[in-house]
Every structure is written in C-alpha cells, then in structure tokens.
Amino acid sequence: MTVQRHFATSEAAEIVGLASEIADGELAPRVDDYEARGEFPRELMTTLGRAGFLGLPYEERYGGGGQPYEVYVQVLEELARRWAVVAEAVSVHTLSCFALAEHGTTQQRDKWLEGLIGGELLGGYCLTEPAGGSDAAAMTTRAVETDGTYRIDGTKAFITHSVVADFFTVFARTDGAGAGGISAFLVPADASGIAPQRPEDKMGLNSSPTGQVVFDDLRVDAERLMGERGTGFKIAMQALDAGRLGIAACAVGLAQAALDYAVDYARQREQFSKPIIGFQGVGFILADMATSIEAARSLMLHAARLKDAGRPFSQAAAKAKLFATDMAMKVTTDAIQVLGGYGYVSDYPVERYFREAKVLQIVEGTNQIQRLVIARGLEQQQ
Ligand code: COS
C-alpha cells in the first residue's frame, strides 16, 4: 500500500524512493531465507552503504548524506517494511557513529569519520552490561589510563552486531561512581583484547547477531577518547535521543508491513460468501491499525523536525519511541487476528512481524524508561 508522504524537497522524495526501491529489489527477496538461516546480510549493508544510507544524517564532506532526520527516519521506515533487521542495523550503525561525528575533534573526524559513515564499515554500540541495562550510569566496565593508553576491562551485553561489527563505540568508567565518571571510546573491533561471545538465541530479529562483548586487557590509545573525559554518559544519552527516533521508524515500518499484509488478506479471504474486509468486525480492526500507524508516524516526524530545527527533542523522541513501539506490538497482534489461524503459522510473515515488534519495546531504553524520561520532563517543565 502506498504511504502518503509529503516532502519538503524533490531530493528528499528521491532518497526515500530509492530506499523503497532497494527494499523491494534487494531486501524483500532475501528476508525469509536469511531469517530462517539466522545469517546476517553483511553484503546488503555494503550495498546500502555505497548508496549512501550508512551515513545519511551526517556531514557530506565526510561522505555522509547531509540529510535531515525527517528524511532519514522515513528511509528507515521503508527498509523496516521489508526487513526489520536491516533497518535496525542502519539505525544502530548511525547510533555508533554519533560520538565521533558529534563530539570528535577535527583531527579525530578527519582521521576516522569518512571510514565510519562512508559505507564500508559497520558499527556496534557498547553501553549495556549484563547487570546494568536501564541504569546505564551504574556500568562497571573500567578504562584505566597509564601514559596515554587506556586499558579497558569489562563485559557488555546485548550488543547488536557483536560478531560482525568493524568498530565499537564503547562506554567505560574512567573515573568515580555515577554518570560523571564515564567516558566514550572509538575502538576497532579487530583489536586484541576484544572477544565477542556466541550470539544469543533470540525470539525475533534472527538474522541479526546480538551478544556479549568481553574486553580483557584491551589497550586503546588516548586519541580514541571521544569528547572530554567524563562526558561519556551525556554523549550516550544524546546518541540515544537520536537513536530512539530510529527505533520509532523501525516500529512504524514494521506496523505498516503488518497492515499492508492484513488488508490484502482481508480483501481476498472470503467467508460467508464475501471478503472478510466487508465485515465490520474485521474492517474496524484494520481502520484502528491504519489510524494508529499514522499517529505514530506523525509523532516520529514531529520529533525529527524538532531535532532538525536544533530544538530540544529528548521528550519528543521518548514519546515517539514509546508510542510507535507499543503501537507496533498492538498492530502486529491485530494482524495475526485478521489472518486467524494463518496468522499464527510461519508460512505467513505476520507472526515474524509480531516477534520483531516485541523487542522494539525493549531496545534503546525500555518503554518504562521512556515513560520515566517523559515524566521527569513534566516534573521539570517551566
Ligand atoms: N542528553 C544530554 N544529557 C543528558 C541526557 C540527555 N538526553 N539525559 C541525561 N543527561 C545528563 C543529565 O543532565 C545529567 O547531567 P548533570 O550531572 O550535569 O546534571 C547526567 O546526564 C545524568 O543524568 P540523570 O541523573 O538523569 O541520569 P540517571 O542515572 O538518572 O539516568 C536514564 C537517566 C534512566 C534516563 C538513563 O540511564 C537511561 O536512558 N537509561 C536507559 C539506557 C538505555 O536506553 N539503554 C539502551 C542501551 S542501547 S540498546
């Protein structure tokens, strides 16, 4: 089904159109096979990178796309309609580039940024730990400096791209307890002292490897410190503000795929001698699905536009992530209901959408954390 979009420029329309074409031509034919085998489509990431989609919101002079978030999130949406793993991969990669792109010195950016956003490399974001997810400031991974070299030791958990990443943005404790003692580092994934563990067996996103990454006597030159020492937590939070828009986009795209499939099915499936879409009980479910997707898309675009305008957008991003991912859970559940028994079997894609929607309520801050961010904002409102 065609999504009605309004673009400010013809360039924006072309970029989202190209993403849609690649999604139809390259992603859709492969998704079932790769998901069944649990294999990450690394070559597709290179295709997307060469087409400019691995650095879309970053500066053109470093090989980025120079596009506003308003465009970037709609690209992610189009990818997620075909394959959530690929959209999430682009989103996580973009998140992983944030510390260097936004907080690196000119020297650091000149040295590494083009490699990161130019299309060949893939990133991972190492914040979460086995004992610390929501309470990110309680991390225990340590980075100890001696003579201009940091030695990093600790374990990160649930790291997307754990075994396929080319670089990691790693958050580690350089100083005392709490948020102020954390710093950010850009680390090549092939450095000795980094050991990704066997990826987790997950409920969904099966072609995306997620797992622990162990740092054991990892030596990192001080020039790989991103931003000032002790500002890592703020960098992580800023990155996540933007990253949450990416997750909202994945959710909107996934829900749109579920709606499209359910509508097609309900138009064709006949019971009592007519297509089931003609029964109000089914038609109203589809109407609510369509309405809630539009509402989530509007929230997402509003938050993206605030960011593009340089306005505060943490609260808006949290609202968009919260609403869009809860919406995707409901919409994909309802899509199964529309398909009835067929919705519950893996010959049809909607049970996969349902499994994929679930994790979006958890990643990049559980939806309880989004509510906490929103509630704190209300508490502090002038
Ligand atoms: N942007 C910039 N700075 C931010 C920020 C943001 N979005 N959010 C918080 N900060 C700053 C605060 O201003 C504060 O700075 P000062 O010490 O100078 O006042 C500092 O960071 C600590 O903030 P706060 O006290 O709010 O930290 P908390 O430990 O209470 O944690 C939450 C805040 C819960 C919001 C944070 O830990 C969080 O987002 N947790 C979820 C983590 C997550 O999303 N994990 C997913 C991993 S990636 S899949």
Side-chain angles (χ1 to χ4, degrees):
M1 213 163 299
T2 313
V3 176
Q4 252 194 331
R5 300 187 190 278
H6 171 71
F7 294 107
T9 64
S10 56
E11 188 192 19
E14 277 166 27
I15 290 171
V16 177
L18 176 63
S20 186
E21 258 174 50
I22 293 179
D24 282 341
E26 305 287 338
L27 274 52
R30 291 179 172 83
V31 55
D32 289 338
D33 182 37
Y34 278 70
E35 282 294 314
R37 285 187 288 118
E39 183 183 332
F40 183 68
R42 183 64 183 85
E43 72 287 357
L44 278 184
M45 301 313 295
T46 308
T47 305
L48 287 169
R50 289 185 182 150
F53 290 119
L54 292 190
L56 212 50
Y58 295 123
E59 282 180 73
E60 281 175 282
R61 70 186 165 118
Y62 289 107
Q67 290 302 309
Y69 257 65
E70 179 181 350
V71 174
Y72 165 64
V73 292
Q74 294 185 82
V75 163
L76 289 180
E77 216 195 286
E78 288 299 323
L79 300 177
R81 272 172 80 179
R82 294 302 184 214
W83 196 345
V85 156
V86 173
E88 199 225 9
V90 174
S91 183
V92 168
H93 172 80
T94 306
L95 179 76
S96 308
C97 296
F98 181 91
L100 173 62
E102 302 295 332
H103 294 276
T105 61
T106 306
Q107 209 179 9
Q108 289 172 322
R109 284 147 51 97
D110 286 349
K111 193 163 178 181
W112 293 305
L113 192 53
E114 196 172 337
L116 264 58
I117 64 179
E120 302 296 323
L121 302 183
L122 189 67
Y125 188 77
C126 295
L127 179 70
T128 301
E129 298 188 352
S134 293
D135 188 4
M139 72 175 58
T140 59
T141 295
R142 295 207 66 85
V144 178
E145 187 192 9
T146 318
D147 300 330
T149 301
Y150 284 89
R151 175 188 161 150
I152 302 182
D153 292 283
T155 301
K156 296 291 178 177
F158 299 113
I159 305 305
T160 303
H161 303 154
S162 57
V163 291
V164 292
D166 299 296
F167 67 91
F168 293 113
T169 291
V170 178
F171 297 92
R173 185 166 303 288
T174 45
D175 297 285
I182 293 167
S183 300
F185 298 88
L186 179 70
V187 180
D190 61 359
S192 70
I194 301 183
Q197 305 295 294
R198 183 180 174 277
E200 309 286 353
D201 291 320
K202 305 193 300 301
M203 173 179 172
L205 301 180
N206 295 328
S207 60
S208 175
T210 307
Q212 289 194 352
V213 178
V214 175
F215 303 115
D216 180 12
D217 195 12
L218 165 65
R219 304 288 168 138
V220 173
D221 198 280
E223 70 166 346
R224 288 186 168 273
L225 175 70
M226 299 290 119
E228 297 289 315
R229 179 165 163 159
T231 61
F233 186 80
K234 288 182 185 175
I235 294 174
M237 291 300 113
Q238 284 172 11
L240 283 171
D241 283 344
R244 286 165 186 165
L245 291 178
I247 300 303
C250 292
V252 172
L254 193 56
Q256 184 70 48
L259 173 69
D260 292 351
Y261 203 91
V263 168
D264 275 352
Y265 180 89
R267 278 181 183 156
Q268 283 165 30
R269 171 76 169 171
E270 291 193 3
Q271 293 290 279
F272 308 101
S273 308
K274 66 174 189 177
I276 61 170
I277 198 165
F279 293 103
Q280 203 176 63
V282 174
F284 277 17
I285 294 176
L286 295 168
D288 286 345
M289 288 163 72
T291 306
S292 55
I293 293 170
E294 287 293 358
R297 183 176 288 120
S298 300
L299 270 183
M300 172 190 79
L301 288 174
H302 172 65
R305 286 172 186 143
L306 287 178
K307 174 168 169 41
D308 293 335
R311 305 270 297 277
F313 72 99
S314 303
Q315 305 283 305
K319 288 173 189 164
K321 195 274 182 184
L322 166 64
F323 187 85
T325 58
D326 280 356
M327 175 282 294
M329 195 68 246
K330 170 136 181 46
V331 162
T332 54
T333 306
D334 288 345
I336 293 179
Q337 196 67 22
V338 170
L339 268 74
Y342 293 113
Y344 199 66
V345 299
S346 58
D347 293 344
Y348 293 77
V350 291
E351 63 84 30
R352 171 167 66 79
Y353 301 151
F354 168 88
R355 290 184 285 106
E356 292 171 341
K358 182 62 221 171
V359 80
L360 300 180
Q361 294 179 301
I362 298 169
V363 295
E364 299 201 20
T366 63
N367 283 3
Q368 286 64 40
I369 288 293
Q370 308 308 319
R371 289 181 172 93
L372 183 145
V373 168
I374 297 161
R376 281 187 184 177
L378 295 173
E379 206 179 327
Q380 290 156 11
Q381 213 168 45
Q382 302 296 322

